[in-house]
mmCIF file with all atom_site columns, all heavy atoms in Angstrom:
data_model
loop_
_atom_site.group_PDB
_atom_site.id
_atom_site.type_symbol
_atom_site.label_atom_id
_atom_site.label_alt_id
_atom_site.label_comp_id
_atom_site.label_asym_id
_atom_site.label_entity_id
_atom_site.label_seq_id
_atom_site.pdbx_PDB_ins_code
_atom_site.Cartn_x
_atom_site.Cartn_y
_atom_site.Cartn_z
_atom_site.occupancy
_atom_site.B_iso_or_equiv
_atom_site.pdbx_formal_charge
_atom_site.auth_seq_id
_atom_site.auth_comp_id
_atom_site.auth_asym_id
_atom_site.auth_atom_id
_atom_site.pdbx_PDB_model_num
ATOM 1   N N   . ALA A 1 312 ? 39.222 153.371 135.207 1.00 88.00 ? 312 ALA A N   1
ATOM 2   C CA  . ALA A 1 312 ? 37.992 154.030 134.764 1.00 88.00 ? 312 ALA A CA  1
ATOM 3   C C   . ALA A 1 312 ? 36.783 153.555 135.563 1.00 88.00 ? 312 ALA A C   1
ATOM 4   O O   . ALA A 1 312 ? 35.959 154.365 136.004 1.00 88.00 ? 312 ALA A O   1
ATOM 5   C CB  . ALA A 1 312 ? 37.774 153.784 133.272 1.00 88.00 ? 312 ALA A CB  1
ATOM 6   N N   . THR A 1 313 ? 36.666 152.224 135.784 1.00 89.00 ? 313 THR A N   1
ATOM 7   C CA  . THR A 1 313 ? 35.523 151.718 136.552 1.00 89.00 ? 313 THR A CA  1
ATOM 8   C C   . THR A 1 313 ? 35.609 152.155 138.010 1.00 89.00 ? 313 THR A C   1
ATOM 9   O O   . THR A 1 313 ? 34.593 152.462 138.639 1.00 89.00 ? 313 THR A O   1
ATOM 10  C CB  . THR A 1 313 ? 35.428 150.183 136.459 1.00 89.00 ? 313 THR A CB  1
ATOM 11  O OG1 . THR A 1 313 ? 36.689 149.611 136.859 1.00 89.00 ? 313 THR A OG1 1
ATOM 12  C CG2 . THR A 1 313 ? 35.119 149.737 135.050 1.00 89.00 ? 313 THR A CG2 1
ATOM 13  N N   . GLY A 1 314 ? 36.824 152.175 138.548 1.00 89.00 ? 314 GLY A N   1
ATOM 14  C CA  . GLY A 1 314 ? 37.004 152.640 139.925 1.00 89.00 ? 314 GLY A CA  1
ATOM 15  C C   . GLY A 1 314 ? 36.635 154.100 140.073 1.00 89.00 ? 314 GLY A C   1
ATOM 16  O O   . GLY A 1 314 ? 35.979 154.499 141.048 1.00 89.00 ? 314 GLY A O   1
ATOM 17  N N   . LEU A 1 315 ? 37.029 154.912 139.104 1.00 90.00 ? 315 LEU A N   1
ATOM 18  C CA  . LEU A 1 315 ? 36.732 156.340 139.139 1.00 90.00 ? 315 LEU A CA  1
ATOM 19  C C   . LEU A 1 315 ? 35.227 156.583 139.007 1.00 90.00 ? 315 LEU A C   1
ATOM 20  O O   . LEU A 1 315 ? 34.660 157.465 139.668 1.00 90.00 ? 315 LEU A O   1
ATOM 21  C CB  . LEU A 1 315 ? 37.494 157.046 138.009 1.00 90.00 ? 315 LEU A CB  1
ATOM 22  C CG  . LEU A 1 315 ? 37.480 158.571 137.959 1.00 90.00 ? 315 LEU A CG  1
ATOM 23  C CD1 . LEU A 1 315 ? 37.825 159.165 139.309 1.00 90.00 ? 315 LEU A CD1 1
ATOM 24  C CD2 . LEU A 1 315 ? 38.451 159.058 136.901 1.00 90.00 ? 315 LEU A CD2 1
ATOM 25  N N   . ARG A 1 316 ? 34.570 155.757 138.195 1.00 89.00 ? 316 ARG A N   1
ATOM 26  C CA  . ARG A 1 316 ? 33.116 155.880 138.035 1.00 89.00 ? 316 ARG A CA  1
ATOM 27  C C   . ARG A 1 316 ? 32.413 155.623 139.374 1.00 89.00 ? 316 ARG A C   1
ATOM 28  O O   . ARG A 1 316 ? 31.459 156.321 139.732 1.00 89.00 ? 316 ARG A O   1
ATOM 29  C CB  . ARG A 1 316 ? 32.640 154.889 136.975 1.00 89.00 ? 316 ARG A CB  1
ATOM 30  C CG  . ARG A 1 316 ? 31.199 155.115 136.522 1.00 89.00 ? 316 ARG A CG  1
ATOM 31  C CD  . ARG A 1 316 ? 30.810 154.155 135.423 1.00 89.00 ? 316 ARG A CD  1
ATOM 32  N NE  . ARG A 1 316 ? 31.560 154.419 134.202 1.00 89.00 ? 316 ARG A NE  1
ATOM 33  C CZ  . ARG A 1 316 ? 32.472 153.583 133.688 1.00 89.00 ? 316 ARG A CZ  1
ATOM 34  N NH1 . ARG A 1 316 ? 32.746 152.453 134.299 1.00 89.00 ? 316 ARG A NH1 1
ATOM 35  N NH2 . ARG A 1 316 ? 33.112 153.883 132.582 1.00 89.00 ? 316 ARG A NH2 1
ATOM 36  N N   . SER A 1 317 ? 32.910 154.634 140.119 1.00 90.00 ? 317 SER A N   1
ATOM 37  C CA  . SER A 1 317 ? 32.311 154.320 141.425 1.00 90.00 ? 317 SER A CA  1
ATOM 38  C C   . SER A 1 317 ? 32.610 155.404 142.443 1.00 90.00 ? 317 SER A C   1
ATOM 39  O O   . SER A 1 317 ? 31.755 155.743 143.284 1.00 90.00 ? 317 SER A O   1
ATOM 40  C CB  . SER A 1 317 ? 32.859 152.983 141.941 1.00 90.00 ? 317 SER A CB  1
ATOM 41  O OG  . SER A 1 317 ? 32.575 151.941 141.041 1.00 90.00 ? 317 SER A OG  1
ATOM 42  N N   . ILE A 1 318 ? 33.821 155.956 142.392 1.00 91.00 ? 318 ILE A N   1
ATOM 43  C CA  . ILE A 1 318 ? 34.231 156.997 143.337 1.00 91.00 ? 318 ILE A CA  1
ATOM 44  C C   . ILE A 1 318 ? 33.286 158.194 143.286 1.00 91.00 ? 318 ILE A C   1
ATOM 45  O O   . ILE A 1 318 ? 32.926 158.764 144.313 1.00 91.00 ? 318 ILE A O   1
ATOM 46  C CB  . ILE A 1 318 ? 35.684 157.438 143.046 1.00 91.00 ? 318 ILE A CB  1
ATOM 47  C CG1 . ILE A 1 318 ? 36.677 156.440 143.660 1.00 91.00 ? 318 ILE A CG1 1
ATOM 48  C CG2 . ILE A 1 318 ? 35.968 158.828 143.587 1.00 91.00 ? 318 ILE A CG2 1
ATOM 49  C CD1 . ILE A 1 318 ? 38.127 156.747 143.348 1.00 91.00 ? 318 ILE A CD1 1
ATOM 50  N N   . LEU A 1 319 ? 32.862 158.577 142.092 1.00 87.00 ? 319 LEU A N   1
ATOM 51  C CA  . LEU A 1 319 ? 32.040 159.770 141.933 1.00 87.00 ? 319 LEU A CA  1
ATOM 52  C C   . LEU A 1 319 ? 30.691 159.632 142.627 1.00 87.00 ? 319 LEU A C   1
ATOM 53  O O   . LEU A 1 319 ? 30.035 160.638 142.905 1.00 87.00 ? 319 LEU A O   1
ATOM 54  C CB  . LEU A 1 319 ? 31.850 160.085 140.446 1.00 87.00 ? 319 LEU A CB  1
ATOM 55  C CG  . LEU A 1 319 ? 33.120 160.513 139.703 1.00 87.00 ? 319 LEU A CG  1
ATOM 56  C CD1 . LEU A 1 319 ? 32.849 160.681 138.222 1.00 87.00 ? 319 LEU A CD1 1
ATOM 57  C CD2 . LEU A 1 319 ? 33.679 161.802 140.295 1.00 87.00 ? 319 LEU A CD2 1
ATOM 58  N N   . ARG A 1 320 ? 30.266 158.392 142.916 1.00 90.00 ? 320 ARG A N   1
ATOM 59  C CA  . ARG A 1 320 ? 28.992 158.184 143.620 1.00 90.00 ? 320 ARG A CA  1
ATOM 60  C C   . ARG A 1 320 ? 29.186 158.137 145.138 1.00 90.00 ? 320 ARG A C   1
ATOM 61  O O   . ARG A 1 320 ? 28.246 157.898 145.878 1.00 90.00 ? 320 ARG A O   1
ATOM 62  C CB  . ARG A 1 320 ? 28.334 156.887 143.130 1.00 90.00 ? 320 ARG A CB  1
ATOM 63  C CG  . ARG A 1 320 ? 27.894 156.950 141.670 1.00 90.00 ? 320 ARG A CG  1
ATOM 64  C CD  . ARG A 1 320 ? 26.997 155.783 141.322 1.00 90.00 ? 320 ARG A CD  1
ATOM 65  N NE  . ARG A 1 320 ? 27.733 154.533 141.206 1.00 90.00 ? 320 ARG A NE  1
ATOM 66  C CZ  . ARG A 1 320 ? 28.237 154.051 140.077 1.00 90.00 ? 320 ARG A CZ  1
ATOM 67  N NH1 . ARG A 1 320 ? 28.093 154.740 138.955 1.00 90.00 ? 320 ARG A NH1 1
ATOM 68  N NH2 . ARG A 1 320 ? 28.863 152.895 140.051 1.00 90.00 ? 320 ARG A NH2 1
ATOM 69  N N   . GLN A 1 321 ? 30.440 158.349 145.603 1.00 93.00 ? 321 GLN A N   1
ATOM 70  C CA  . GLN A 1 321 ? 30.749 158.267 147.030 1.00 93.00 ? 321 GLN A CA  1
ATOM 71  C C   . GLN A 1 321 ? 30.886 159.638 147.699 1.00 93.00 ? 321 GLN A C   1
ATOM 72  O O   . GLN A 1 321 ? 31.367 159.732 148.823 1.00 93.00 ? 321 GLN A O   1
ATOM 73  C CB  . GLN A 1 321 ? 32.053 157.474 147.215 1.00 93.00 ? 321 GLN A CB  1
ATOM 74  C CG  . GLN A 1 321 ? 31.936 155.993 146.933 1.00 93.00 ? 321 GLN A CG  1
ATOM 75  C CD  . GLN A 1 321 ? 31.223 155.265 148.058 1.00 93.00 ? 321 GLN A CD  1
ATOM 76  O OE1 . GLN A 1 321 ? 31.565 155.436 149.229 1.00 93.00 ? 321 GLN A OE1 1
ATOM 77  N NE2 . GLN A 1 321 ? 30.230 154.461 147.718 1.00 93.00 ? 321 GLN A NE2 1
ATOM 78  N N   . ASP A 1 322 ? 30.491 160.694 147.013 1.00 93.00 ? 322 ASP A N   1
ATOM 79  C CA  . ASP A 1 322 ? 30.519 162.052 147.553 1.00 93.00 ? 322 ASP A CA  1
ATOM 80  C C   . ASP A 1 322 ? 31.899 162.446 148.083 1.00 93.00 ? 322 ASP A C   1
ATOM 81  O O   . ASP A 1 322 ? 32.048 162.890 149.220 1.00 93.00 ? 322 ASP A O   1
ATOM 82  C CB  . ASP A 1 322 ? 29.471 162.195 148.663 1.00 93.00 ? 322 ASP A CB  1
ATOM 83  C CG  . ASP A 1 322 ? 29.340 163.634 149.172 1.00 93.00 ? 322 ASP A CG  1
ATOM 84  O OD1 . ASP A 1 322 ? 29.546 164.566 148.358 1.00 93.00 ? 322 ASP A OD1 1
ATOM 85  O OD2 . ASP A 1 322 ? 29.068 163.818 150.376 1.00 93.00 ? 322 ASP A OD2 1
ATOM 86  N N   . PRO A 1 323 ? 32.952 162.307 147.242 1.00 95.00 ? 323 PRO A N   1
ATOM 87  C CA  . PRO A 1 323 ? 34.295 162.668 147.716 1.00 95.00 ? 323 PRO A CA  1
ATOM 88  C C   . PRO A 1 323 ? 34.569 164.161 147.558 1.00 95.00 ? 323 PRO A C   1
ATOM 89  O O   . PRO A 1 323 ? 33.900 164.852 146.777 1.00 95.00 ? 323 PRO A O   1
ATOM 90  C CB  . PRO A 1 323 ? 35.208 161.869 146.784 1.00 95.00 ? 323 PRO A CB  1
ATOM 91  C CG  . PRO A 1 323 ? 34.445 161.831 145.492 1.00 95.00 ? 323 PRO A CG  1
ATOM 92  C CD  . PRO A 1 323 ? 32.973 161.774 145.877 1.00 95.00 ? 323 PRO A CD  1
ATOM 93  N N   . ASP A 1 324 ? 35.556 164.647 148.304 1.00 96.00 ? 324 ASP A N   1
ATOM 94  C CA  . ASP A 1 324 ? 36.068 166.004 148.090 1.00 96.00 ? 324 ASP A CA  1
ATOM 95  C C   . ASP A 1 324 ? 37.325 165.951 147.223 1.00 96.00 ? 324 ASP A C   1
ATOM 96  O O   . ASP A 1 324 ? 37.532 166.808 146.353 1.00 96.00 ? 324 ASP A O   1
ATOM 97  C CB  . ASP A 1 324 ? 36.414 166.659 149.433 1.00 96.00 ? 324 ASP A CB  1
ATOM 98  C CG  . ASP A 1 324 ? 35.192 166.835 150.319 1.00 96.00 ? 324 ASP A CG  1
ATOM 99  O OD1 . ASP A 1 324 ? 34.319 167.633 149.950 1.00 96.00 ? 324 ASP A OD1 1
ATOM 100 O OD2 . ASP A 1 324 ? 35.107 166.147 151.356 1.00 96.00 ? 324 ASP A OD2 1
ATOM 101 N N   . ILE A 1 325 ? 38.164 164.963 147.487 1.00 97.00 ? 325 ILE A N   1
ATOM 102 C CA  . ILE A 1 325 ? 39.447 164.832 146.791 1.00 97.00 ? 325 ILE A CA  1
ATOM 103 C C   . ILE A 1 325 ? 39.563 163.411 146.244 1.00 97.00 ? 325 ILE A C   1
ATOM 104 O O   . ILE A 1 325 ? 39.238 162.434 146.931 1.00 97.00 ? 325 ILE A O   1
ATOM 105 C CB  . ILE A 1 325 ? 40.621 165.132 147.742 1.00 97.00 ? 325 ILE A CB  1
ATOM 106 C CG1 . ILE A 1 325 ? 40.520 166.578 148.262 1.00 97.00 ? 325 ILE A CG1 1
ATOM 107 C CG2 . ILE A 1 325 ? 41.966 164.913 147.043 1.00 97.00 ? 325 ILE A CG2 1
ATOM 108 C CD1 . ILE A 1 325 ? 41.451 166.877 149.426 1.00 97.00 ? 325 ILE A CD1 1
#
Side-chain angles (χ1 to χ4, degrees):
T313 54
L315 188 49
R316 192 177 293 113
S317 301
I318 279 176
L319 293 175
R320 294 192 286 267
Q321 289 285 311
D322 186 32
D324 297 293
I325 299 168

